[in-house]
Amino acid sequence: MSTNIESHLIEKRVFKPAKEFSKKAQISNFADYKKLHAESVKSPEKFWAKEAATLKWTKKWTRVLDWKAPFAKWFVGGHLNASENCLDRHLEGPRRNKAAIIWEGEPGERRTLTYHQLHREVCVFANILKRNGVKSGDRVLIYMPLIPEAVIAMLGCARIGAVHSVVFGGFSSESIKDRILDSGATVVVTADGGYRRGQIVSLKQNVDHALQGVEQVRRVIVFRRTHLDIHIQEGRDVWWHREAEYVDAKCPPHPVDSEHPLFILYTSGSTGKPKGILHTTGGYLTGTASTTKYVFDLRENDVYWCTADVGWITGHSYLVYGPLANGATCVLYEGAPNWPEPDRFWKIIAEFGVTILYTAPTAIRAFMKWGDEWPKKHDLSSLRLLGTVGEPINPEAWMWYHKHIGEGRCPIVDTWWQTETGAIMISPLPGATPLKPGTATLPFFGIDAAIVDDKGKEVGPNEGGKLVIRKPWPAMLRSIYGDKPRYRKQYWSEVKGCYFTGDGARRDKDGYFWIVGRIDDVLNVAGHRLGTAEVESAIVSHHDVAEAAVVGRPDELKGQAVVAFVTLRSGYKASNELAEAIRRHVAHAIGPIAKPDDVRFAESLPKTRSGKIMRRLLKQIASGSAITGDTTTLEDFSVLTKLRASDE
Ligand code: WT7
């Protein structure tokens, strides 16, 4: 019996880059990409040194890489400052008065900060940190709504060498507390509240709860966003705007060693204690700046919008560090995509003239569900490039995005990467790579990705296996904060000599990478290993279906039975006939082996706040066992209750 993942869905559509797009692109044809990629994986250090040289270093490195597996040091001996690279560098030329951030709050107010203004605000905040005793290397926890001050707080930390740890504003007190204790943070930056779906989220109150019985935090800096009445604890809590009155706007960047920690970002993993992913300065900045330039094919007059929250790695790498290091104009929007109506994104794109949109498949499927009429109401002709990240995009959603948002004109970069990888690893280059809906295509320069079997041997075309990276890269995580053994075990012991991503994938005959899902989620039906992503993609290609999640339930006969949780598009009704039609549809698209044994209709699916389906919970529901383990990252708890009720 084969233990490798089988793949049955074959996508035949190919979209070549348009000539007009390629002409102006950084990399303008496929042959160039292939040649440059081949060279770059032969000598990655050479490629990365060239990219690093585009940054400002106050002291040049003496060695590009020091690799004592699994521990890497990049640009050894070099000194730089991340905030200087994102700000000061742009102040001397025409970018000085260019918009760095164009922000819209959920209630509708707007602010634009030029590079000069952003620099000034960051210096003020850095001085506030210093005034409150924060020193290089200290950990600062940031728990903010998506407002310019979230970015200012991050860059303010970087400016003085403090290490930020951003916690997504949707997380609970419990999550904040865990992260404070694990990171050893002594200062918290928050706001009185933030806006989400017309409501105020009481951020400061959550911090207050989190800090009960926690002695190590000696200062909480509070930004006034909503004027919500909050508790101020004398001696611990201070207002940002009051503090600003005591400091000036001069704060020279503090150069740090290339390997100085820049931030810790916690990723839940599906079980167990959250992992503090540690990223350092020189390599991370090199990786994010370089990928932003090539993958988003950034041009000076682009208006770039990454819709992620700063609480996620996507927000760190492609909302803050990558684009600002490139001097880009970035849109920032505080609220929900369907507030007050499902066309908020399209309205923002039309009004700000957004040219690049980077969002998640889960958002795209929500837009599909809400209906084509919403994007149709707005002029989206400013868009020239689209991107996705976070999970495999099913071809159906890709086609919808391409047609209704890109109007057939915009390439789509499907970017595969992880919190741990820091920067994009597998992605098309929009002027060069022929696209196929549903695949992240090919590795970025300097990235040596492969698919291997259980013994670590590379598999052939269309054979499934484990996705690994065979050489270190600059933006890679350096460790799990405070837990080197776990770092080694989690990422470097599954496949000898390689970084193990945890994802299952296959490469097609053109070498394109198709991610079939997390290895832990792979189904094993009568000896066949099937990727959840493929089965889900087949279900979603049924006309009436909006979203699907597939899990295995123990089955005496087959090992596992396939259970599909399905939500329908607006206006469609659940019925036994429809369930049967969906089962037939999957049998037709993939084969009888993948046919769901059970189709369960649901109003919505349990997701993490970054949009990932919590399959662990669905597995428990599917097998009728009690819900256990961590549910604090669940977006909407009522979903669970409803799913269980529908089970009875
Ligand atoms: C996991 C990483 C990277 C920022 C957001 C998520 C899945 C991510 C893709 C893609 C297929 C993808 C993988 C990966 N994933 N992007 N384009 N195609 N799968 O970061 O929370 O660290 O999750 O997300 O399974 O391992 P993360």
Side-chain angles (χ1 to χ4, degrees):
M1 193 202 306
S2 157
T3 55
N4 281 344
I5 305 154
E6 297 170 24
S7 204
H8 301 259
L9 262 194
I10 304 294
E11 174 63 51
K12 293 205 178 69
R13 290 167 286 203
V14 179
F15 296 79
K16 292 220 169 95
K19 283 216 173 57
E20 312 80 75
F21 193 102
S22 296
K23 257 198 320 225
K24 297 189 207 147
Q26 301 271 358
I27 305 292
S28 57
N29 70 70
F30 201 32
D32 284 357
Y33 158 77
K34 284 187 174 162
K35 184 167 159 279
L36 285 168
H37 183 262
E39 285 169 14
S40 70
V41 285
K42 229 191 209 159
S43 26
E45 295 178 34
K46 198 169 143 206
F47 171 77
W48 291 118
K50 200 170 112 259
E51 292 303 305
T54 66
L55 298 175
K56 180 173 176 189
W57 296 79
T58 43
K59 183 167 163 259
K60 176 94 200 251
W61 60 86
T62 51
R63 219 161 2 123
V64 177
L65 172 65
D66 174 4
W67 177 231
K68 292 193 183 73
F71 299 100
K73 288 189 182 136
W74 282 89
F75 312 112
V76 183
H79 288 179
L80 78 168
N81 180 283
S83 103
E84 178 177 29
N85 272 285
C86 291
L87 302 168
D88 309 49
R89 240 176 2 129
H90 308 311
L91 299 184
E92 279 142 41
R95 284 179 185 161
R96 181 180 180 83
N97 299 315
K98 176 179 177 176
I101 294 179
I102 302 178
W103 174 76
E104 184 166 294
E106 197 187 71
E109 68 276 58
R110 288 174 177 179
R111 267 165 77 197
T112 297
L113 290 163
T114 63
Y115 272 93
H116 167 73
Q117 291 169 318
L118 181 62
H119 172 261
R120 194 185 148 81
E121 302 268 334
V122 167
C123 288
V124 167
F125 187 71
N127 281 335
I128 293 178
L129 289 173
K130 282 201 236 171
R131 185 181 135 78
N132 284 282
V134 179
K135 301 213 162 38
S136 180
D138 288 354
R139 274 83 61 217
V140 174
L141 187 123
I142 299 175
Y143 183 66
M144 295 280 272
L146 198 45
I147 57 177
E149 280 67 24
V151 180
I152 292 166
M154 291 163 77
L155 293 174
C157 288
R159 197 158 188 89
I160 63 170
V163 183
H164 58 70
S165 185
V166 183
V167 176
F168 174 53
F171 277 173
S172 61
S173 306
E174 204 57 33
S175 318
I176 306 171
K177 185 174 185 166
D178 289 347
R179 285 153 179 75
I180 286 175
L181 293 177
D182 191 79
S183 66
T186 49
V187 170
V188 174
V189 184
T190 188
D192 51 358
Y195 291 94
R196 188 79 189 176
R197 289 202 178 89
Q199 306 275 322
I200 292 180
V201 184
S202 35
L203 298 171
K204 173 61 166 61
Q205 198 181 50
N206 293 348
V207 170
D208 290 340
H209 287 306
L211 293 185
Q212 271 168 20
V214 176
E215 297 294 316
Q216 87 196 35
V217 172
R218 38 174 199 77
R219 198 63 89 230
V220 179
I221 304 173
V222 190
F223 183 78
R224 186 141 81 195
R225 161 84 186 105
T226 60
H227 291 262
L228 184 73
D229 203 12
I230 58 160
H231 165 74
I232 289 283
Q233 183 169 315
E234 234 22 81
R236 186 193 70 186
D237 304 349
V238 294
W239 285 105
W240 181 315
H241 63 275
R242 290 265 170 77
E243 289 298 292
E245 289 171 15
Y246 296 99
V247 298
D248 63 22
K250 283 203 181 52
C251 179
H254 172 73
V256 297
D257 188 273
S258 178
E259 284 300 330
H260 184 78
L262 180 62
F263 64 86
I264 302 164
L265 183 63
Y266 286 85
T267 161
S268 57
S270 42
T271 45
K273 180 168 160 262
K275 299 178 285 219
I277 303 301
L278 177 69
H279 282 287
T280 59
T281 310
Y284 174 79
L285 208 60
T286 300
T288 52
S290 168
T291 48
T292 305
K293 178 175 67 188
Y294 290 113
V295 173
F296 298 108
D297 188 46
L298 215 56
R299 299 175 198 163
E300 203 53 52
N301 56 0
D302 271 318
V303 177
Y304 165 93
W305 185 18
C306 163
T307 67
D309 189 273
V310 283
W312 309 118
I313 190 68
T314 312
H316 284 59
S317 302
Y318 296 107
L319 195 98
V320 181
Y321 291 106
L324 295 180
N326 279 284
T329 294
C330 307
V331 171
L332 209 64
Y333 165 60
E334 178 186 29
N338 54 348
W339 186 265
E341 300 256 45
D343 64 344
R344 186 65 179 266
F345 273 25
W346 321 126
K347 197 159 171 276
I348 289 176
I349 290 171
E351 291 179 9
F352 293 144
V354 171
T355 59
I356 302 174
L357 175 69
Y358 189 31
T359 194
T362 175
I364 297 167
R365 286 191 299 269
F367 294 132
M368 287 173 76
K369 185 172 168 180
W370 296 331
D372 310 346
E373 64 270 29
W374 297 104
K376 270 209 193 82
K377 284 167 66 162
H378 299 274
D379 176 5
L380 304 180
S381 62
S382 58
L383 287 172
R384 64 177 195 89
L385 176 61
L386 305 174
T388 70
V389 60
E391 54 177 314
I393 181 165
N394 48 297
E396 217 51 36
W398 195 100
M399 292 302 296
W400 186 89
Y401 196 33
H402 190 256
K403 179 169 173 210
H404 294 279
I405 308 306
E407 299 171 343
R409 173 185 72 244
C410 307
I412 299 177
V413 287
D414 172 352
T415 63
W416 178 90
W417 58 294
Q418 309 177 299
T419 305
E420 293 86 343
T421 69
I424 293 169
M425 303 291 275
I426 302 178
S427 167
L429 297 182
T433 314
L435 308 172
K436 302 180 197 178
T439 163
T441 75
L442 295 161
F444 187 70
F445 302 129
I447 302 301
D448 184 11
I451 296 171
V452 301
D453 63 18
D454 287 337
K455 295 196 184 71
K457 201 172 141 283
E458 192 160 5
V459 301
N462 285 321
E463 271 181 58
K466 296 169 183 165
L467 175 61
V468 297
I469 313 294
R470 294 187 288 204
K471 290 197 178 90
W473 64 100
M476 65 189 268
L477 77 165
R478 296 302 191 264
S479 187
I480 292 175
Y481 188 71
D483 199 345
K484 284 185 180 163
R486 191 174 177 200
Y487 165 71
R488 188 189 287 275
K489 182 162 178 290
Q490 181 95 33
Y491 304 108
W492 297 93
S493 51
E494 178 91 10
V495 181
K496 198 169 179 293
C498 293
Y499 169 84
F500 174 50
T501 63
D503 282 358
R506 70 178 164 94
R507 300 184 77 167
D508 66 16
K509 62 178 191 343
D510 299 320
Y512 282 29
F513 287 78
W514 294 76
I515 311 296
V516 301
R518 303 290 299 170
I519 290 277
D520 306 344
D521 293 335
V522 165
L523 307 165
N524 194 334
V525 185
H528 299 271
R529 305 230 303 162
L530 302 170
T532 47
E534 282 197 346
V535 185
E536 286 160 7
S537 178
I539 297 176
V540 176
S541 71
H542 185 283
H543 175 273
D544 302 358
V545 174
E547 201 153 34
V550 163
V551 296
R553 156 165 49 80
D555 183 275
E556 272 183 26
L557 225 59
K558 300 197 283 183
Q560 274 185 333
V562 180
V563 181
F565 292 85
V566 172
T567 67
L568 297 176
R569 288 208 207 195
S570 309
Y572 292 90
K573 286 226 156 45
S575 66
N576 289 338
E577 290 72 43
L578 182 55
E580 193 44 44
I582 291 171
R583 299 180 66 232
R584 275 200 311 270
H585 185 77
V586 176
H588 180 74
I590 303 185
I593 187 74
K595 197 166 158 177
D597 295 87
D598 209 350
V599 173
R600 299 202 192 173
F601 295 103
E603 237 170 84
S604 46
L605 301 173
K607 286 187 198 161
T608 65
R609 283 166 179 132
S610 65
K612 281 205 194 344
I613 289 168
M614 294 183 83
R615 287 205 179 67
R616 177 173 55 88
L617 300 182
L618 289 176
K619 263 185 222 165
Q620 291 170 353
I621 291 169
S623 60
S625 52
I627 307 282
T628 54
D630 183 25
T631 51
T632 56
T633 56
L634 187 65
E635 211 219 355
D636 175 7
F637 201 82
S638 70
V639 170
L640 266 194
T641 331
K642 282 182 203 146
L643 277 174
R644 265 185 303 188
S646 72
D647 193 27
E648 279 151 17

